[in-house]
Amino acid sequence: MSRSRHQQGVTLIEVLTAMLVFSVGLIGAAELMLVASHVNHTAYLRTQVAFVAQNMVERMQANLTGVWRGDYNGTYPDSSAQDCSAGCTPQRLALHDRQLFGDQLKTFLPPNAQARVLCSNGGLAYVPTPEQWAWRPPYGGNCAMTVTWIERRLGSAIPSAETLAWEFQP
């Protein structure tokens, strides 16, 4: 049996078509891996932000006198340094907590990550006096924490600012 003259090269076209389909599939798989990697990193950053913020809230809950005094209000990272290994007053403990929170922001989040904490007890019917703070009355006011960091968007050269805003009562 001899092949017809019209069928020469058909196998080559079939192979080239198969290679084209296969290469398009590989490009799609590579793009899917890139997107999955980016989404995974974004989720990692958001988990770290939640971890750092929750850690600071727990520190504030342990030092309500410092919260009543307003010692936690401010912008972080903070340049204050305080060693509380031998014990501290509530004010010094707040400075120590501020330092630790700032260190965690620098360690776990991208560069230039910042946070702001603002606690307000305005409008409360009863505000304890500084002498009563030693009794550790519950904090009746509200606190607001915002954490901002920069993320790169997939497919964009322009980074975007992301923010976690949290209202809580320590």
Side-chain angles (χ1 to χ4, degrees):
M1 281 194 161
S2 69
R3 287 191 175 175
S4 160
R5 192 174 175 100
H6 298 292
Q7 289 188 357
Q8 290 180 349
V10 173
T11 306
L12 181 61
I13 291 174
E14 290 173 350
V15 168
L16 289 175
T17 304
M19 286 178 51
L20 176 67
V21 170
F22 184 69
S23 63
V24 168
L26 283 179
I27 290 171
E31 186 173 343
L32 183 63
M33 287 176 56
L34 179 67
V35 169
S37 174
H38 178 74
V39 169
N40 189 33
H41 182 68
T42 299
Y44 167 77
L45 284 178
R46 291 170 192 241
T47 301
Q48 295 295 53
V49 168
F51 166 76
V52 169
Q54 180 64 39
N55 187 281
M56 184 58 165
V57 170
E58 290 173 5
R59 290 177 179 282
M60 292 171 70
Q61 288 172 338
N63 185 10
L64 290 177
T65 302
V67 176
W68 277 110
R69 290 176 44 94
D71 294 333
Y72 287 94
N73 293 346
T75 303
Y76 300 83
D78 194 356
S79 60
S80 65
Q82 184 65 47
D83 181 21
C84 281
S85 58
C88 280
T89 64
Q91 184 178 15
R92 288 184 170 193
L93 181 59
L95 289 173
H96 179 70
D97 292 344
R98 290 174 65 103
Q99 174 194 0
L100 290 176
F101 185 48
D103 290 347
Q104 288 178 338
L105 287 173
K106 292 177 196 174
T107 302
F108 296 116
L109 299 180
N112 299 325
Q114 290 187 337
R116 180 166 176 77
V117 174
L118 180 62
C119 296
S120 172
N121 56 16
L124 293 180
Y126 172 73
V127 176
T129 63
E131 295 81 26
Q132 294 170 328
W133 289 341
W135 303 344
R136 293 185 46 88
Y139 187 71
N142 289 318
C143 295
M145 177 187 296
T146 56
V147 181
T148 58
W149 69 98
I150 303 295
E151 274 186 22
R152 289 240 182 248
R153 291 279 181 206
L154 191 61
S156 173
I158 302 170
S160 67
E162 298 293 327
T163 302
L164 166 78
W166 190 5
E167 298 268 340
F168 62 96
Q169 188 174 23

